[in-house]
Amino acid sequence: MKSWLNFSFFLYLILFRGTDVLAQGLDAKANPPNIVIIFADDMGYGDIKALNPLSKIETSALDALVAEGITFSNAHASASVCTPSRFGLLTGEYAFRTPEAARGISGFAPLVMQENRHTMAKFLKNAGYRTGIVGKWHLGLDWVTKDGKPAVLDAESGHSNVDYSQPVGAGPNDFGFDYSFIHPASLDIPPYVFLENHRVLDPGVILTTEVYPTRKENTEFSWDKKHSNDQAVYWEKGVWWRQGEMSPSFRVEDCLDEITGKGLAFIERQSADSPFFLYLPLTGPHTPWLPSEEHKGKSGAGLYGDFVMDIDQVVAKVKKQLERQGLLENTLLIFSSDNGAYWPEEEILLYGHDSNRGVRGQKGDVWDGGHRVPLLISWPQGIKEKATYPGLVSLTDLFATFGGLLNQEIPEGAAMDSYSFLPVLQGDTGFVSRTEMVHHSSSGMFAIRTQEWKYIDGLGSGGFSYPGRLDPEKGGPQGQLYRIREDPYERENRYADYPQVVEQLKSQMEGIINR
């Protein structure tokens, strides 16, 4: 009898270890934590001083998050560019399952999510949360147009056919957000407007070139000029944006401050009586690199590094607002980025600053620099000790983790690529939530990683680093295989040495893609 009781207890530990939130004396269902996700745009793991002692950027607020909570040292966005990464975060699903969401889109693109799509916001709203999004959307909007045709920008004139006086037909409020204050896309992509609950503020648009000169007297073109045409504003490396329509009161240099202010105002409207969820996707440090006067020239990584210091200050302001209202203790504060930094070798050599610390490639690439991201989670009431988690995690996994935390069942068919890492929040840094992950580059090159290997289904970076794609040589490798545990920089292609591993991983990858 005694042996049976011991076995039962052992079985209980196996089944329920990591799913019982009461393990830390918390009843998250009875006292659910607030959730705030601060989502940087194009920021690298190595920008944060506490994660990279050689960083040329001071990041005191982010360093404090590292000291207070859990650092995920092997976290990855579900794709290496904006739109598919954001789709993955909010839906818990790889974006390549929805073709419209699988690539970067313009500011005039229609919604990339189906009308009945379950999102993290909808899930939390159904769990009793007040929900809000403030910042960069970049998942499409159903614009109303003057001619009844799909929204389109005339690149030559800079004008579109959008009727900005009309509310959009569909947007973030249709996917679980009670409140929305958004910029449609990246800050170098028109239209340059804010929408509050689907209505454009200050809808009498002008052209950006009516306010900003296209060139300055000392303008010198750099490696990023390839992203803009002769009509675009281009002042110097990293300081450029495409020509297009803009609200008369909109100022590109003030956008981050506007978003931060609206995010703080949303928090100010909350109380401890009801939990809230704030998704705060920032427009920086994506181009244009327009740091505040307070931080200009203060980093050792140029305008980009100065702009990262502004992002760090946003984190400090959010924490201070939460603390002021007595909400910080029971707030799950999450910081991450949508993809790796757009930081080529030229910038590493110029500044001695490795934005994507210790990995190959940059934004857009299928190499790790494209999708490895910082992921920091702080929760004073729930996470008592600083820790680093080395296990594999995707940003898609936040969805299932919230479900486990709140003991709420995720709707059938939703978040199919999300795996809960709740036990890690409870202190179990040996927990394994996933054993493989599929990566997706800006040009649609796929890869799969396991704990030991990374297989890439093609040659080249698949993204912004040269060469983007290479044709196989006769008798040469058709793809790339790296023993990632021993070769994290992806230097030695072992494709020809391990044909069985290639075959197995390719089959495994295709099975996940076609699931």
Side-chain angles (χ1 to χ4, degrees), residues 395-438:
L395 295 185
T396 61
D397 297 338
L398 287 169
F399 198 143
T401 302
F402 296 160
L405 177 68
L406 301 172
N407 196 24
Q408 294 282 330
E409 188 174 340
I410 292 174
E412 186 177 354
M416 68 182 298
D417 300 305
S418 189
Y419 297 85
S420 173
F421 56 81
L422 177 60
V424 179
L425 300 185
Q426 298 169 311
D428 184 0
T429 54
F431 177 75
V432 177
S433 63
R434 58 162 67 232
T435 56
E436 84 284 312
M437 182 186 301
V438 171

Side-chain angles (χ1 to χ4, degrees), residues 382-393:
I383 299 172
K384 301 300 184 183
E385 295 182 6
K386 171 186 175 181
T388 297
Y389 179 62
L392 195 59
V393 165

